[in-house]
Amino acid sequence: MYRTHTCGELRTDHVGQTVVISGWVQHIRDFGGTTFIDLRDRYGITQLVFDMETNKDLCESARKLGREYVITATGLVRERSNKNKNIATGEIEMEVLGLKILNPSQIPPFTIETETDGGEELRMKYRYLDLRRNPLQQNVMLRHRMALEIRKFLSDVDFLEIETPYLIRSTPEGARDFIVPSRMNENQFYALPQSPQTYKQLLMVSGFDRYFQIVRCFRDEDLRADRQPEFTQIDCEMSFVEREDVLVMFEKLTCHLLKTIRNVDLPPFMRMPYSDAISLYGSDKPDIRFGMQINDISEQAKNKGFVVFDNADRVLALVVEGAAEYTRKQIDDLTDWVKRPQIGGSGLIWVKYAADGTTKSSVDKFFSANDLKDWKTKCHASDGDLMLIVAGAEKNIFSIAGELRLELGSRQGLRNPDHFAPLWVVDFPLLEWDDEAKRFFAMHHPFTSPVVDDIEMLLTDPGKVRANAYDLVINGVEIGGGSIRIHDRVLQMQMFKALGFSDEEATAQFGFLLGAFEFGAPPHGGIAFGFDRFVAMMAGQNNIREFIAFPKNNSGRDVMADAPSTVSSQQLDELNIKLISR
Amino acid sequence: MYRTHTCGELRTDHVGQTVVISGWVQHIRDFGGTTFIDLRDRYGITQLVFDMETNKDLCESARKLGREYVITATGLVRERSNKNKNIATGEIEMEVLGLKILNPSQIPPFTIETETDGGEELRMKYRYLDLRRNPLQQNVMLRHRMALEIRKFLSDVDFLEIETPYLIRSTPEGARDFIVPSRMNENQFYALPQSPQTYKQLLMVSGFDRYFQIVRCFRDEDLRADRQPEFTQIDCEMSFVEREDVLVMFEKLTCHLLKTIRNVDLPPFMRMPYSDAISLYGSDKPDIRFGMQINDISEQAKNKGFVVFDNADRVLALVVEGAAEYTRKQIDDLTDWVKRPQIGGSGLIWVKYAADGTTKSSVDKFFSANDLKDWKTKCHASDGDLMLIVAGAEKNIFSIAGELRLELGSRQGLRNPDHFAPLWVVDFPLLEWDDEAKRFFAMHHPFTSPVVDDIEMLLTDPGKVRANAYDLVINGVEIGGGSIRIHDRVLQMQMFKALGFSDEEATAQFGFLLGAFEFGAPPHGGIAFGFDRFVAMMAGQNNIREFIAFPKNNSGRDVMADAPSTVSSQQLDELNIKLISR
């Protein structure tokens, strides 16, 4: 028998009992006559005591143990004289009577502590050791709890979890597919799903009414820090619903999770049109934990002879409350920050509205005190505030202002990770024009329904059509997104036409879905949440890799298992494929 | 608004209320003055009534509807004069005041009824319509309920659901991998997991103690009726356990599921050694819903001059209780059955011990009345019983007798699908000799621990070593299987050696797991259940395709979506692969 109790279980109630526990050696502390070992498992840490006087041999064996050895200890639970209030088992210790080494350990390449000395490369290679560290154990447990709560909540309101296939048909629309050669169907390939989108729509056609699935999805894209080639989605779909039905349902789910997991009560979620999100926050995923909205002062600032403003499409101002005392260095630093290629700003104009009522700016040469006062009024600034201004082309100046706003929010300490500010962004454009491909692409996907009032523009002025789509944004992170879908074959064909598909191409690629629409498809809509990101957000963190047990690096590699790898020529022969070297 | 209630919700309590419901037209019945429509959704069926006298226009619109049209009906709930006790809403009907067609439907290619007129091909092609039928809706809902119950049960006893990667490293040991070309890592491939085996073992090394996952697995094997290229597994692993700890835990889970889902109380599960399963039932997955054990009468039947028996390694007898009255035709039929190539028997000898005490057999020429009496005694047969005897080579005669036993069980009505008879089969051989490859293969997988007492035979007499492995069998179906794993690097290397791996090969393929064993791997073991089969078994059925929303056919094709398919040359170019035609 390996244990009667876990390392997190013993309390003063157990004093006097002989128990058996197993775990990993966390620390060994040797005080001459006595040796202490902290024994660790997932549930906690228990202090083992070995005494030279009462049991010399055992104590000497204990001293020979190393960190991360796996042992079983039998002993007597006794009350500690020196209690440790920081751990749940801190009132007791075990006087060890028997000791067995289950497995020795080499010295780990980094310390198994909350703050480790290992770099990211090393920790990824020895992921199984990194996962022993408390922060990662907590993250994995949080993920488990969230998944279970989501399943319980959705099941309680009649959603069915239905598994959809992983080996599906490749479709060129959207991101790049991972493909899987089929041995039994020569020269044909499956694709791994980018999402179960068409299958969940078919489930609505089948009448399942409410579907969800926590499901892996795959995209063969060049990776950024927060992207993984495989990621997990909470995928949901409902029949006989309008937009508000979906928003209300998933607002409830989100509130339930925040309450259950973090004990946070959320306010009702605002619905913000996409156009407002862009003009006020410079982003389709505004962080509304703080105000500092973007002010368009083009009217007040252009055509006054300052060429930077005059040549710009827009002049946008941010007001940083109480920051009139920012130093020259702080402002220079921000100017450099705005000019970084990732941001793409051309510079930063500042106006300080000092607490004493005086005003000073970097454009005093070009604008009168009255001009600066006009800006102050327009932007509802107060004495003591700092105004920062960016100007540029319509196309990207809002996103520059939005990035600057976020940076200022961070620098001013306005983005508290324990504060949660959710909202729905709605009324996205249905289509985006692609200059290179010279055609429209679906901003969401080709199955998104237009807003009813805009349908007639679909063939006349497609760029103006709003989508019946919505994103859930919390703290500036897009947690989920979805839409009411098209359920009418004629409208779906119009949509494909707007995307530049011929009827034949549309039928060849999506024939089975179009076919399904002819047999009584109900109105339906849904949403998908990025689960990795949702879990990270719930912990107030950004790096999703810390919330995935075995993540890939930025080249899509699992450096622990060394995947991907070469395969045998026999494997390739059976699949009728040949490698090409470039 | 599409509905205030579902089609399964209205009762006499709602009489007098104006409600809105939406769903599919199941039947239209026209009685001159009145038209009835059964409106269907996932939750039930509600009867709509249209009256020519009170609302002619509406009634005429209703008559123009077709089967499977999707409609919204507004109306008044009233009590039925003619109640239908067979459905939950049978006491009420809706007097329709408003009707809206949400989507028309073509005439479906087969009837959407419990017993449909559609053949399997057609139903697979229009799977989204087949899924509307009640039996499939029930199967999908059963699957959902089981998955949720499993998750709740395991979470309540401290198991964590942890997601493992789908894009992993290909290993040649075991079945054939599906592989996925990597675009970012030229000429390298991921593999789709045949199971998360190594990852769950690493999670034990990480100290997660109790892990589970309901997870998709992939095997590129030639398909049989009950195999799918992708299938779902309930994958579990525990640390600091011995065999009995695992069996007790998952016996509890199984009992919980049978009780919750089917209200069946299971008896304690027998542990049957593999050797008994083979000798008594001719199968490593015995159906113990009925007795009819195999009797070895070699001693009593050989060397009496009957060449069929004399040339056989073994002579095996089955006693069919009360079947002495089987006709000549019935026995001929069974003889033909045994000779089918799938079974491989050479023939069937019979002895009838008639109720009146007389005995008759097909080998009266070769055996005396005393001989037949000896057999009767040996097999505990009684007057009125039929004895059927097969003889043949050691290698396959037990499986022939086992197949015959199952067939007789079916013909005698001894295999009640509502009766559940579980058992654990234990002490499997660790290794199987492969005549073709001229080496041993792991019967389970290379990470299975030998029974402790047998370890020393691993390098001297590997074929004799028993595995510390176990299968859960219910009603002759293998529902799950697992083992205590090797957690010691030295023993693992011995195992690889017994399998014919050089040290270099073992390290190249499983280096990361072997490495993990050097940093304090705990003793651990686990189990994996075939979820598709488990759900089917729970419904008393065999065909797993009826329990998978979107299954593949025997060529691994999704005939609905027409996958796999060809992909574009651009996709292949990006992956640096080229097709070969054979």
Side-chain angles (χ1 to χ4, degrees):
Chain A
M1 192 198 22
Y2 291 111
R3 63 186 175 195
T4 55
H5 296 78
T6 70
C7 295
E9 203 175 347
L10 297 171
R11 300 286 183 279
T12 45
D13 288 352
H14 299 92
V15 166
Q17 291 182 23
T18 300
V19 300
V20 183
I21 61 178
S22 289
W24 285 262
V25 172
Q26 177 79 16
H27 298 118
I28 306 184
R29 295 183 308 283
D30 196 356
F31 295 106
T34 316
T35 297
F36 294 98
I37 288 184
D38 285 343
L39 195 65
R40 184 196 75 230
D41 67 13
R42 177 187 127 198
Y43 311 95
I45 284 181
T46 297
Q47 177 166 293
L48 310 181
V49 191
F50 300 81
D51 199 275
M52 270 305 262
E53 207 154 307
T54 56
N55 198 333
K56 186 162 173 277
D57 288 353
L58 204 62
C59 191
E60 278 174 351
S61 313
R63 287 177 185 181
K64 285 184 200 137
L65 298 174
R67 279 194 290 130
E68 301 305 316
Y69 272 49
V70 189
I71 63 170
T72 297
T74 306
L76 198 65
V77 184
R78 66 188 195 196
E79 198 167 347
R80 281 205 212 181
S81 51
N82 208 345
K83 297 199 169 57
N84 180 347
K85 299 280 179 205
N86 298 322
I87 60 172
T89 60
E91 303 214 319
I92 57 90
E93 62 192 6
M94 180 202 268
E95 183 190 344
V96 181
L97 305 171
L99 175 69
K100 194 178 166 197
I101 298 176
L102 298 175
N103 223 342
S105 174
Q106 290 190 18
I107 295 168
F110 48 85
T111 55
I112 312 295
E113 305 279 354
T114 299
E115 299 289 335
T116 180
D117 57 356
E120 180 152 20
E121 277 284 299
L122 201 61
R123 289 192 289 121
M124 286 283 272
K125 178 157 183 215
Y126 295 93
R127 184 70 172 180
Y128 50 85
L129 295 180
D130 202 24
L131 284 169
R132 283 187 191 165
R133 296 192 306 114
N134 190 260
L136 280 163
Q137 295 245 327
Q138 296 301 325
N139 292 351
V140 168
M141 286 190 249
L142 171 67
R143 188 177 177 112
H144 164 76
R145 270 187 73 199
M146 270 186 70
L148 188 65
E149 278 303 328
I150 290 163
R151 288 187 158 106
K152 283 183 182 171
F153 178 93
L154 290 175
S155 299
D156 283 347
V157 289
D158 283 334
F159 282 80
L160 298 172
E161 186 160 24
I162 304 176
E163 294 173 55
T164 53
Y166 279 89
L167 296 172
I168 68 167
R169 186 185 166 89
S170 182
T171 53
E173 190 68 11
R176 199 184 287 108
D177 282 329
F178 281 104
I179 60 173
V180 183
S182 165
R183 183 180 52 88
M184 290 206 279
N185 300 272
E186 192 179 310
N187 290 350
Q188 298 193 355
F189 292 77
Y190 302 100
L192 299 178
Q194 296 181 30
S195 91
Q197 183 64 33
T198 45
Y199 286 97
K200 71 176 174 175
Q201 293 193 242
L202 290 171
L203 288 171
M204 295 303 101
V205 175
S206 295
F208 283 104
D209 205 71
R210 292 181 167 192
Y211 144 93
F212 83 101
Q213 191 182 189
I214 301 185
V215 63
R216 202 70 52 82
C217 300
F218 305 85
R219 277 182 209 176
D220 185 12
E221 294 296 301
D222 298 317
L223 303 175
R224 299 191 310 240
D226 65 339
R227 285 252 188 111
Q228 288 277 314
E230 49 175 317
F231 56 97
T232 302
Q233 208 164 275
I234 311 165
D235 194 49
C236 309
E237 198 78 4
M238 305 169 76
S239 289
F240 301 114
V241 289
E242 289 161 346
R243 187 184 86 183
E244 270 305 297
D245 300 311
V246 180
L247 301 197
V248 167
M249 176 63 70
F250 291 96
E251 187 164 325
K252 273 188 202 153
L253 170 64
T254 308
C255 291
H256 173 78
L257 288 174
L258 264 296
K259 183 68 186 172
T260 315
I261 309 272
R262 293 287 312 249
N263 197 26
V264 166
D265 291 292
L266 293 179
F269 297 11
M270 183 197 304
R271 278 91 171 122
M272 184 185 291
Y274 171 83
S275 54
D276 284 4
I278 298 296
S279 63
L280 298 176
Y281 298 93
S283 167
D284 59 359
K285 35 182 193 284
D287 184 348
I288 58 167
R289 278 176 296 185
F290 64 107
M292 206 192 289
Q293 292 182 350
I294 297 170
N295 301 281
D296 187 341
I297 58 167
S298 305
E299 202 180 304
Q300 290 77 13
K302 278 168 63 91
N303 305 320
K304 305 266 174 173
F306 182 49
V307 70
V308 174
F309 288 176
D310 291 352
N311 287 346
D313 294 333
R314 300 270 191 167
V315 182
L316 304 178
L318 294 168
V319 176
V320 191
E321 269 180 51
E325 303 300 315
Y326 260 36
T327 61
R328 180 62 188 254
K329 192 182 166 310
Q330 282 175 298
I331 291 177
D332 285 352
D333 196 36
L334 277 169
T335 309
D336 290 344
W337 187 89
V338 162
K339 287 172 153 176
R340 291 164 53 183
Q342 304 95 300
I343 308 300
S346 56
L348 203 55
I349 305 303
W350 55 266
V351 187
K352 289 177 176 176
Y353 298 100
D356 63 6
T358 61
T359 302
K360 221 177 134 184
S361 85
S362 56
V363 285
D364 282 348
K365 266 191 271 179
F366 303 96
F367 296 95
S368 68
N370 254 350
D371 288 330
L372 301 187
K373 210 175 154 195
D374 278 356
W375 301 357
K376 187 181 175 194
T377 309
K378 166 77 181 171
C379 302
H380 307 288
S382 303
D383 289 343
D385 293 350
L386 170 70
M387 182 179 290
L388 293 173
I389 304 170
V390 290
E394 182 80 36
K395 197 175 156 176
N396 59 8
I397 193 62
F398 282 100
S399 93
I400 292 169
E403 292 289 347
L404 175 60
R405 174 181 172 274
L406 290 178
E407 179 64 19
L408 290 166
S410 297
R411 292 190 186 200
Q412 293 293 95
L414 302 173
R415 305 177 74 190
N416 177 358
D418 292 324
H419 180 84
F420 296 91
L423 80 158
W424 292 105
V425 178
V426 298
D427 291 341
F428 284 81
L430 184 69
L431 304 165
E432 280 179 310
W433 181 256
D434 185 300
D435 270 338
E436 216 169 297
K438 300 237 176 294
R439 72 163 175 103
F440 282 106
F441 279 85
M443 193 157 177
H444 199 76
H445 55 57
F447 314 108
T448 301
S449 177
V451 167
V452 176
D453 291 343
D454 296 357
I455 289 180
E456 53 184 34
M457 288 193 293
L458 193 54
L459 297 180
T460 57
D461 193 358
K464 281 251 173 73
V465 176
R466 287 166 301 165
N468 204 344
Y470 32 80
D471 276 1
L472 174 61
V473 175
I474 304 180
N475 295 0
V477 178
E478 182 201 323
I479 296 297
S483 63
I484 298 299
R485 325 297 182 187
I486 297 169
H487 66 280
D488 177 79
R489 188 190 161 105
V490 174
L491 183 56
Q492 186 67 67
M493 288 304 283
Q494 277 178 22
M495 179 70 175
F496 283 127
K497 196 165 178 183
L499 293 171
F501 285 57
S502 71
D503 285 7
E504 292 69 33
E505 285 166 342
T507 311
Q509 282 177 38
F510 299 104
F512 61 107
L513 185 63
L514 291 164
F517 284 176
E518 299 197 89
F519 290 100
H524 60 286
I527 193 167
F529 295 87
F531 187 50
D532 307 305
R533 217 171 280 173
F534 203 169
V535 181
M537 193 279 300
M538 194 67 86
Q541 294 183 39
N542 288 319
N543 186 356
I544 61 171
R545 281 212 281 261
E546 299 287 302
F547 296 84
I548 297 172
F550 299 102
K552 308 251 182 323
N553 73 8
N554 278 350
S555 317
R557 294 199 70 83
D558 176 340
V559 295
M560 179 191 71
D562 198 21
S565 64
T566 55
V567 295
S568 70
S569 53
Q570 191 199 335
Q571 282 174 287
L572 298 176
D573 287 347
E574 286 185 327
L575 298 169
N576 297 317
I577 60 178
K578 213 179 128 177
L579 302 183
I580 304 166
S581 299
R582 300 236 174 258
Chain B
M1 192 199 17
Y2 291 110
R3 64 187 176 195
T4 54
H5 296 80
T6 69
C7 294
E9 203 174 347
L10 297 172
R11 300 286 184 276
T12 46
D13 289 353
H14 299 93
V15 167
Q17 291 183 22
T18 300
V19 300
V20 183
I21 61 179
S22 290
W24 286 261
V25 173
Q26 178 80 15
H27 298 119
I28 306 186
R29 295 184 308 282
D30 196 356
F31 294 105
T34 316
T35 297
F36 295 98
I37 288 183
D38 285 344
L39 194 66
R40 184 195 76 229
D41 67 12
R42 177 187 126 198
Y43 310 96
I45 284 183
T46 298
Q47 177 166 291
L48 310 182
V49 190
F50 299 82
D51 198 275
M52 272 304 263
E53 208 154 306
T54 55
N55 198 333
K56 187 161 175 279
D57 288 354
L58 204 61
C59 192
E60 279 174 350
S61 314
R63 287 177 185 183
K64 285 184 201 138
L65 298 174
R67 280 194 290 131
E68 302 304 318
Y69 272 49
V70 188
I71 63 170
T72 298
T74 306
L76 197 66
V77 183
R78 67 187 192 196
E79 199 168 348
R80 281 205 211 182
S81 50
N82 209 344
K83 296 199 169 56
N84 180 346
K85 298 280 179 204
N86 297 322
I87 60 171
T89 60
E91 303 214 320
I92 58 91
E93 60 192 8
M94 180 203 267
E95 183 189 343
V96 180
L97 306 171
L99 176 68
K100 194 179 168 200
I101 298 176
L102 298 175
N103 223 342
S105 174
Q106 291 190 17
I107 294 168
F110 48 84
T111 55
I112 312 295
E113 305 280 353
T114 299
E115 300 290 334
T116 179
D117 57 357
E120 180 152 18
E121 277 284 300
L122 200 62
R123 289 193 289 121
M124 286 283 271
K125 179 159 183 212
Y126 295 94
R127 183 70 173 180
Y128 48 86
L129 295 181
D130 202 23
L131 284 169
R132 282 187 192 165
R133 296 192 306 115
N134 191 260
L136 280 162
Q137 295 245 325
Q138 295 302 324
N139 291 353
V140 168
M141 286 189 247
L142 171 66
R143 189 177 177 112
H144 163 76
R145 271 188 71 200
M146 270 186 69
L148 188 66
E149 277 304 325
I150 291 163
R151 288 188 159 103
K152 282 183 182 170
F153 178 93
L154 290 175
S155 299
D156 283 348
V157 289
D158 283 334
F159 282 80
L160 299 172
E161 185 160 25
I162 304 175
E163 294 172 57
T164 53
Y166 279 90
L167 297 172
I168 69 167
R169 186 185 166 87
S170 182
T171 54
E173 191 69 9
R176 200 184 286 107
D177 282 329
F178 281 104
I179 60 173
V180 183
S182 165
R183 182 180 53 88
M184 289 206 281
N185 300 272
E186 191 179 310
N187 291 351
Q188 298 193 355
F189 293 78
Y190 302 100
L192 299 178
Q194 296 182 29
S195 91
Q197 183 63 32
T198 45
Y199 286 97
K200 72 175 174 175
Q201 293 193 241
L202 290 171
L203 289 171
M204 295 303 102
V205 175
S206 295
F208 283 104
D209 205 69
R210 292 182 167 192
Y211 144 93
F212 82 102
Q213 190 181 189
I214 301 185
V215 63
R216 203 69 53 83
C217 300
F218 305 84
R219 279 182 206 172
D220 185 12
E221 294 296 301
D222 299 317
L223 303 175
R224 297 191 312 238
D226 65 338
R227 286 254 187 108
Q228 288 276 314
E230 48 175 316
F231 56 96
T232 302
Q233 206 164 277
I234 311 165
D235 194 48
C236 309
E237 198 78 4
M238 305 169 76
S239 289
F240 301 115
V241 289
E242 289 161 347
R243 188 184 85 183
E244 269 304 298
D245 300 311
V246 181
L247 301 198
V248 167
M249 175 63 71
F250 291 97
E251 188 165 324
K252 274 188 202 154
L253 169 64
T254 308
C255 291
H256 173 79
L257 288 174
L258 264 295
K259 183 68 187 170
T260 315
I261 309 271
R262 293 288 312 250
N263 197 27
V264 166
D265 291 294
L266 293 179
F269 298 9
M270 186 197 303
R271 278 93 171 120
M272 184 186 291
Y274 171 83
S275 52
D276 286 3
I278 298 296
S279 63
L280 298 176
Y281 299 92
S283 168
D284 60 358
K285 36 182 192 285
D287 183 348
I288 59 168
R289 278 177 295 184
F290 64 107
M292 207 192 290
Q293 292 182 349
I294 296 168
N295 302 281
D296 186 340
I297 58 167
S298 306
E299 204 180 303
Q300 290 77 14
K302 276 168 64 93
N303 306 318
K304 305 264 175 174
F306 181 48
V307 69
V308 173
F309 288 176
D310 292 353
N311 288 345
D313 294 334
R314 299 269 192 167
V315 183
L316 304 178
L318 294 169
V319 176
V320 191
E321 269 180 51
E325 302 300 315
Y326 260 37
T327 61
R328 180 62 188 254
K329 192 183 167 309
Q330 281 175 299
I331 293 179
D332 284 351
D333 195 37
L334 278 169
T335 309
D336 290 344
W337 188 90
V338 163
K339 287 170 152 177
R340 291 164 54 185
Q342 305 96 301
I343 308 299
S346 56
L348 201 55
I349 306 301
W350 55 265
V351 187
K352 290 178 175 175
Y353 298 100
D356 63 5
T358 60
T359 302
K360 223 178 133 182
S361 85
S362 57
V363 286
D364 282 349
K365 265 190 275 181
F366 303 94
F367 295 94
S368 68
N370 253 350
D371 287 331
L372 301 187
K373 211 177 151 193
D374 277 359
W375 300 357
K376 186 181 175 193
T377 308
K378 167 77 181 174
C379 302
H380 306 287
S382 302
D383 289 342
D385 291 351
L386 170 69
M387 183 178 292
L388 294 171
I389 304 170
V390 291
E394 182 79 37
K395 198 175 155 177
N396 59 8
I397 193 61
F398 282 100
S399 93
I400 291 169
E403 292 289 348
L404 175 60
R405 174 182 173 271
L406 291 178
E407 180 64 19
L408 289 166
S410 297
R411 293 190 184 200
Q412 294 294 95
L414 303 172
R415 305 178 73 189
N416 177 358
D418 292 324
H419 180 83
F420 296 91
L423 80 158
W424 292 105
V425 178
V426 299
D427 291 343
F428 284 81
L430 183 69
L431 303 167
E432 280 179 310
W433 180 258
D434 186 300
D435 270 338
E436 216 171 299
K438 299 236 176 295
R439 71 162 175 104
F440 282 105
F441 279 84
M443 194 158 176
H444 199 80
H445 56 55
F447 313 109
T448 301
S449 177
V451 167
V452 175
D453 292 343
D454 296 358
I455 289 180
E456 53 184 34
M457 289 192 293
L458 193 54
L459 296 180
T460 58
D461 193 358
K464 281 253 175 71
V465 176
R466 287 167 301 165
N468 204 345
Y470 31 78
D471 275 2
L472 174 61
V473 175
I474 304 182
N475 295 0
V477 178
E478 183 200 321
I479 296 296
S483 63
I484 299 298
R485 325 298 183 187
I486 298 169
H487 66 279
D488 177 79
R489 188 190 162 106
V490 175
L491 182 57
Q492 186 67 68
M493 289 304 281
Q494 277 176 23
M495 178 70 174
F496 282 128
K497 195 163 179 185
L499 293 171
F501 285 57
S502 71
D503 285 7
E504 291 69 34
E505 286 166 342
T507 311
Q509 283 177 37
F510 299 104
F512 62 107
L513 185 63
L514 290 164
F517 285 175
E518 299 197 272
F519 290 100
H524 60 288
I527 193 167
F529 295 87
F531 187 49
D532 307 304
R533 217 171 281 172
F534 204 168
V535 182
M537 193 279 301
M538 194 67 88
Q541 294 182 37
N542 288 318
N543 185 355
I544 62 172
R545 280 211 283 259
E546 300 288 303
F547 296 84
I548 297 171
F550 298 102
K552 307 254 183 320
N553 73 7
N554 279 349
S555 317
R557 294 199 70 82
D558 177 340
V559 295
M560 179 191 71
D562 198 21
S565 64
T566 55
V567 296
S568 70
S569 55
Q570 191 199 336
Q571 283 174 287
L572 298 176
D573 287 348
E574 285 185 329
L575 298 169
N576 296 318
I577 61 178
K578 213 179 128 177
L579 302 183
I580 304 166
S581 299
R582 299 239 173 257

